[in-house]
Amino acid sequence: MAIKAKTGAEVIVDVIQQQGVDHIFGLPGGAAIPIFDALVDSPLKLILSRHEQGATHMADGYARATGKPAVVLVTSGPGATNTITGILTAQMDSVPMVIICGQQTTWNLGLDAFQEADVSGISFPVVKHSYLIKDPHDIPRIIREAFHIAQTGRPGPVLIDVPKDISSAVFEPDYNQEFHLPGYLVHGDVDKEEIVEAARLIEASERPILLVGHGAVISGADKALMYLVEKLNIPVVNTLLGKGGFPETHALNLGMLGMHGTAYANKAVDACDLLISVGSRWDDRIVGNVEKFCVTAKKIHIDIDPSEFNKILQMDVTIQGDAKMAVEALLAVARPGNTKEWLKQIERWKKSFPLKYKKSGRLCAQHVIDEFAKQAGSAGIFTTDVGQHQMWAAQYCLTDNRFHWISSGGAGTMGFGFPAAIGAQLAHPHNPVIAVVGDGGFQMTLNELSTAVINKLPVKVLIINNNFLGMVRQWQHLFYGNRLSGVDLEGNPDFVKLAEAYGAKGFRIKRSADVKRIVSAALAYNEGPCIIDAQVSKEDNVFPMIPAGASLSDMILEPPKHTMAKPVGST
């Protein structure tokens, strides 16, 4: 049977469909018109963003909420370069994404033609791989390779640059082209000797801690971790992106560790004699001072990416492989040590150093966030930007589901939370999705309110509005003698009127007494997006806190009475 000739754009859409994709996030332009034209006759649903950065964050949120790769489609030049922040965010947090960019015609490449940019070259430092297609017959193979690379091993973004004459070319496609990528082979079983050695250390340990990182979330190791933890009776801490990898409501979970982790998690890690990391990359916000981090403890590191081994800390045992497979292998052979006295000590720390805030007087950000978490319940999906609101949300929005916490970790991207919530809401239309954002970060991508309104997405945008870039102000207050510079957000809009201008619903909270009622009303509103402008105390700080570059034992639990020394760490 003769193969039907198609345009390159039609072939692109065909192969994307074959990968199981149902949504594409993007914004058109001249160089991408053929591909957008091909979408007209396809079942793929186009989510038209108002900015290309918003499209990448939406795709990111969709991917993290489903575990599946997401697709972005934009045009050339500035359209393509506007995606770089979103690509960096996905790369830092290991999110599978395929970004397709229109490009100038092949005969204009390198001639500074209209809206030409070498985006495949520009993107190389922040992607797993970049392609520039110069032969239309390569389209089926390259699209399939891109999806394979994005999902294989440690996930990440892959960019494909498509010149307009390539997407317009008519040819007979071969959808069965083979590809050979020996560098992206899926590894088999984990090393049995390493598993046995890890089990020996666990049995000999009296004060073990298990650290759950994003790799555990990505691999779906949650059930295996539950069995392992309960078999061994080991307390658990998690990274910011490890939330949900092990149930945060479980009695053995101590919550997040690190710069703004719980006091009892940090004290436990500081005192442990064995630290078992599952899918964590030992971020500087966890380790702080490398020379003083768990100096006497043995360390086990499980990770799919061997380049992470011994990069920050020297390990006693390293186990390369998929986190779920490694945990299941460990579960089969590991035997518990004597952790009875260790668990008693941890309970004493939990009672002595709980998270707390006031529910009267000035409106506390923690109060509003905590109320949303309680009323949304186990169905709630939370997304965040970066900053104070992110840390408070991490402390109070506990989740038992690996797809219900979506936050910009490695890149710390302002403006991420709201568009990511749009992607998450599309993935889970029946769950309450709450974007917890700051008044600074929200203003970077608030134009996507149109996207949420048009698609009737009931996303709740909780703005922790303190009229400051709060985390920077906190640092300037604590370490720079309160010499505030560039953090006052004078000129903020009226966010309730802003919501109404976009056709969304607006709520405002000013008093603690109104929190419960307004949160309930916001969660009940499902006709489209709504904004909750929470006008919180302007100068509250996030505690506990470990100054950047300091050790776990340097943690401060309350406001210091004097200016502290400037931190040696970056952030």
Side-chain angles (χ1 to χ4, degrees):
M1 184 172 140
I3 297 175
K4 180 183 176 183
K6 294 192 174 188
T7 67
E10 291 171 328
V11 175
I12 289 171
V13 171
D14 283 350
V15 182
I16 289 174
Q17 283 183 248
Q18 293 167 9
Q19 303 302 312
V21 172
D22 45 22
H23 289 81
I24 288 184
F25 303 86
L27 187 69
I33 286 178
I35 310 174
F36 277 87
D37 180 70
L39 287 176
V40 173
D41 298 320
S42 91
L44 295 174
K45 182 172 177 56
L46 171 66
I47 304 300
L48 174 64
S49 68
R50 294 306 188 261
H51 191 280
E52 291 86 355
Q53 180 182 347
T56 54
H57 294 328
M58 290 175 204
D60 189 318
Y62 186 90
R64 296 198 208 202
T66 61
K68 300 190 299 184
V71 177
V72 176
L73 175 60
V74 297
T75 192
S76 63
T81 57
N82 281 344
T83 66
I84 296 299
T85 297
I87 295 172
L88 168 68
T89 305
Q91 172 74 351
M92 290 287 281
D93 292 347
S94 305
V95 178
M97 185 187 298
V98 174
I99 306 95
I100 299 173
C101 305
Q103 179 57 282
Q104 255 291 348
T105 54
T106 53
W107 53 84
N108 270 331
L109 293 178
L111 300 180
D112 293 336
F114 179 66
Q115 290 193 331
E116 182 198 359
D118 178 12
V119 69
S120 57
I122 291 170
S123 64
F124 256 123
V126 292
V127 294
K128 285 188 76 175
H129 193 59
S130 279
Y131 291 94
L132 170 62
I133 303 181
K134 293 185 175 180
D135 183 337
H137 295 90
D138 291 336
I139 289 175
R141 174 184 57 80
I142 287 178
I143 300 287
R144 289 170 57 224
E145 283 186 359
F147 275 87
H148 180 78
I149 292 171
Q151 301 173 82
T152 305
R154 184 175 182 165
V158 178
L159 185 141
I160 306 172
D161 206 13
V162 188
K164 193 171 183 179
D165 55 308
I166 300 298
S167 60
S168 302
V170 178
F171 63 103
E172 295 179 352
D174 177 4
Y175 293 108
N176 299 312
Q177 292 174 326
E178 296 290 333
F179 65 82
H180 180 59
L181 297 173
Y184 291 95
L185 293 176
V186 178
H187 292 280
D189 294 338
V190 294
D191 188 294
K192 292 181 180 177
E193 291 186 6
E194 292 170 345
I195 291 291
V196 169
E197 179 59 14
R200 187 189 68 78
L201 292 181
I202 290 170
E203 188 172 0
S205 168
E206 294 182 345
R207 302 187 308 279
I209 289 284
L210 193 145
L211 167 60
V212 177
H214 197 205
V217 171
I218 293 170
S219 73
D222 45 339
K223 289 184 180 177
L225 277 170
M226 172 76 86
Y227 295 136
L228 181 70
V229 167
E230 293 191 339
K231 176 181 179 181
L232 302 179
N233 222 17
I234 290 181
V236 177
V237 298
N238 56 260
T239 66
L240 174 69
L241 297 188
K243 285 170 67 68
F246 181 81
E248 290 190 284
T249 59
H250 195 286
L252 286 171
N253 196 320
L254 310 184
M256 185 175 72
L257 86 159
M259 183 177 286
H260 292 295
T262 64
Y264 35 92
N266 286 329
K267 286 181 176 293
V269 171
D270 194 36
C272 74
D273 64 0
L274 175 66
L275 187 53
I276 310 159
S277 167
V278 183
S280 162
R281 60 185 174 85
W282 306 108
D283 179 78
D284 57 284
R285 283 199 162 200
I286 289 174
V287 174
N289 187 328
V290 175
E291 302 299 324
K292 296 182 179 179
F293 183 79
C294 296
V295 175
T296 60
K298 299 287 186 183
K299 301 177 188 68
I300 300 170
H301 191 179
I302 297 171
D303 207 294
I304 191 83
D305 184 354
S307 69
E308 293 293 343
F309 294 151
N310 304 315
K311 185 174 78 174
I312 307 293
L313 299 168
Q314 192 65 35
M315 295 293 117
D316 295 283
V317 176
T318 59
I319 302 171
Q320 187 199 351
D322 174 79
K324 180 181 177 182
M325 293 175 61
V327 172
E328 288 174 342
L330 196 54
L331 176 64
V333 299
R335 293 188 296 185
N338 182 3
T339 61
K340 190 174 179 181
E341 292 303 318
W342 178 229
L343 294 177
K344 287 181 179 178
Q345 175 58 61
I346 286 174
E347 283 304 310
R348 288 193 286 271
W349 281 327
K350 291 176 78 170
K351 290 178 181 177
S352 300
F353 305 103
L355 292 171
K356 58 185 177 182
Y357 62 85
K358 293 183 179 178
K359 289 187 177 181
S360 59
R362 300 171 306 162
L363 182 61
C364 288
Q366 302 98 307
H367 186 185
V368 186
I369 293 169
D370 192 21
E371 189 64 31
F372 259 105
K374 287 175 178 172
Q375 291 199 29
S378 59
I381 299 173
F382 287 84
T383 70
T384 80
D385 280 359
V386 66
Q388 286 184 311
H389 69 275
Q390 180 191 34
M391 294 298 106
W392 282 318
Q395 291 175 344
Y396 289 94
C397 298
L398 305 185
T399 180
D400 295 345
N401 189 309
R402 67 189 179 102
F403 293 135
H404 284 195
W405 172 257
I406 298 170
S407 186
S408 175
T413 304
M414 292 179 70
F416 171 82
F418 173 45
I422 291 175
Q425 189 75 80
L426 286 163
H428 299 287
H430 303 300
N431 288 65
V433 177
I434 300 100
V436 184
V437 298
D439 47 328
F442 179 60
Q443 292 183 74
M444 293 186 174
T445 52
L446 64 80
N447 50 0
E448 303 303 347
L449 271 169
S450 290
T451 310
V453 168
I454 293 298
N455 289 281
K456 297 182 172 55
L457 300 173
V459 173
K460 325 301 178 190
V461 187
L462 171 58
I463 304 174
I464 302 302
N465 182 3
N466 58 8
N467 281 281
F468 274 126
L469 297 173
M471 189 60 88
V472 182
R473 184 206 54 75
Q474 175 168 336
W475 281 49
Q476 291 177 344
H477 173 217
L478 294 177
F479 307 115
Y480 290 82
N482 205 32
R483 287 162 51 88
L484 303 186
S485 176
V487 293
D488 191 333
L489 291 179
E490 180 184 8
N492 271 349
D494 181 323
F495 288 111
V496 171
K497 290 183 177 178
L498 181 79
E500 292 167 354
Y502 274 96
K505 178 76 173 177
F507 298 90
R508 180 171 286 123
I509 308 177
K510 289 184 175 181
R511 306 185 311 155
S512 300
D514 296 330
V515 169
K516 191 170 186 177
R517 174 179 58 82
I518 294 178
V519 168
S520 177
L523 285 170
Y525 182 77
N526 286 311
E527 296 175 30
C530 66
I531 282 176
I532 304 93
D533 177 20
Q535 298 188 346
V536 302
S537 176
K538 292 189 66 173
E539 297 179 343
D540 278 351
N541 290 334
V542 185
F543 293 104
M545 180 180 188
I546 300 172
S551 67
L552 293 171
S553 60
D554 294 322
M555 176 174 57
I556 53 177
L557 301 174
E558 56 188 17
K561 293 182 172 55
H562 53 80
T563 299
M564 302 178 67
K566 293 177 182 175
V568 296
S570 173
T571 57

